[in-house]
Structure formats: C-alpha cells, structure tokens
C-alpha cells in the first residue's frame, strides 16, 4: 500500500483496525464484484426495472462503504430511495450524476487491490 493510498483510504483503514492486509483483501473482493454490480445497475435503470435497481444499488453501496462512506457512496442513497418510490426521472438523474464518481472510486479500489 502506498502512502497516497494510506491517506486516501485512512478512514477505511480505521474501519479494519489499521490492518492493511485485510483492507487489500477486501479491495480485491470489491474490485472483482463492483463492476458487475455497476453493470447490473445500469441495465436495470435502462430497462426501468426500478425495484431491481434499488436492490442492486443497495448491494453496491454496502460493498463500497468499506472504502468510502461519504461521496460518492452516500450519493447512492437518493438513487435507491427514488427507485423504491418508482421515480424514474430522479433515478436517471441521480445515476447520471454518481456513475462517473463511482467508476473513479472503483478504479482506486482496484489499484489498492494490486
């Protein structure tokens, strides 16, 4: 783990009691699973399957919250809430806003995974 990664993921390190090996192992899992969840989320939103989008969004939020509890992960909650409420326009807007930031976070997690 680089010093830059230690600083970037300092809160995540705190959540795993400073154990870099555990964080790197969790990063490998997240780096493997997150792209598929993001793809599923994209598909469900495109197909207006909002109940499924809410489920996948919730799973993605849980997976990524080990690494980040603020933005962009926190921005998944409005998307999930809108999907549960059946508000297609808000889901689409929230998704368009958060998607690029999530991709960046997943890229950072992938680099942490090695």
């Amino acid at each position: 783990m680089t010093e830059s990664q230690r600083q970037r993921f300092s809160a995540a390190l705190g959540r795993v009691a400073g154990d870099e090996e555990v964080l790197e192992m969790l990063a490998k899992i997240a780096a493997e699973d997150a792209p598929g969840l993001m793809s599923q989320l994209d598909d469900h939103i495109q197909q207006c399957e909002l109940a499924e989008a809410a489920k996948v969004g919730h799973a993605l939020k849980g997976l990524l919250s080990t690494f980040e509890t603020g933005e962009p992960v926190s921005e998944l909650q409005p998307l999930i809430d809108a999907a549960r409420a059946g508000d297609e326009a808000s889901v689409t807007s929230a998704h368009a806003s958060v998607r690029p930031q999530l991709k960046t976070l997943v890229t950072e997690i992938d680099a942490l995974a090695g």
Side-chain angles (χ1 to χ4, degrees), residues 87-102:
D87 184 349
E88 183 182 341
S90 293
V91 170
T92 302
S93 175
H95 183 246
S97 174
V98 75
R99 190 172 190 276
Q101 297 169 338
L102 288 173

Side-chain angles (χ1 to χ4, degrees), residues 51-71:
E52 291 302 313
K55 290 177 189 174
V56 173
H58 185 76
L60 183 61
K61 181 181 174 192
L63 178 68
L64 298 178
S65 66
T66 298
F67 303 93
E68 181 63 66
T69 56
E71 291 183 8

Side-chain angles (χ1 to χ4, degrees), residues 6-112:
R6 281 184 196 93
Q7 288 177 9
R8 168 63 180 96
F9 293 110
S10 63
L13 274 169
R15 286 189 279 281
V16 296
D19 192 327
E20 291 182 9
E21 287 182 25
V22 168
L23 190 61
E24 289 172 357
M25 178 193 66
L26 292 171
K28 288 177 185 174
I29 294 167
E32 186 176 301
D33 293 350
L37 289 172
M38 290 176 63
S39 179
Q40 288 177 36
L41 183 61
D42 294 348
D43 292 347
H44 289 309
I45 291 171
Q46 286 178 346
Q47 296 172 16
C48 299
E49 297 168 341
L50 299 186
E52 291 302 313
K55 290 177 189 174
V56 173
H58 185 76
L60 183 61
K61 181 181 174 192
L63 178 68
L64 298 178
S65 66
T66 298
F67 303 93
E68 181 63 66
T69 56
E71 291 183 8
V73 176
S74 62
E75 296 304 308
L76 281 168
Q77 193 59 52
L79 184 152
I80 294 164
D81 293 342
R84 288 176 177 159
D87 184 349
E88 183 182 341
S90 293
V91 170
T92 302
S93 175
H95 183 246
S97 174
V98 75
R99 190 172 190 276
Q101 297 169 338
L102 288 173
K103 281 188 159 198
T104 299
L105 176 59
V106 171
T107 299
E108 291 172 337
I109 293 169
D110 187 49
L112 181 62

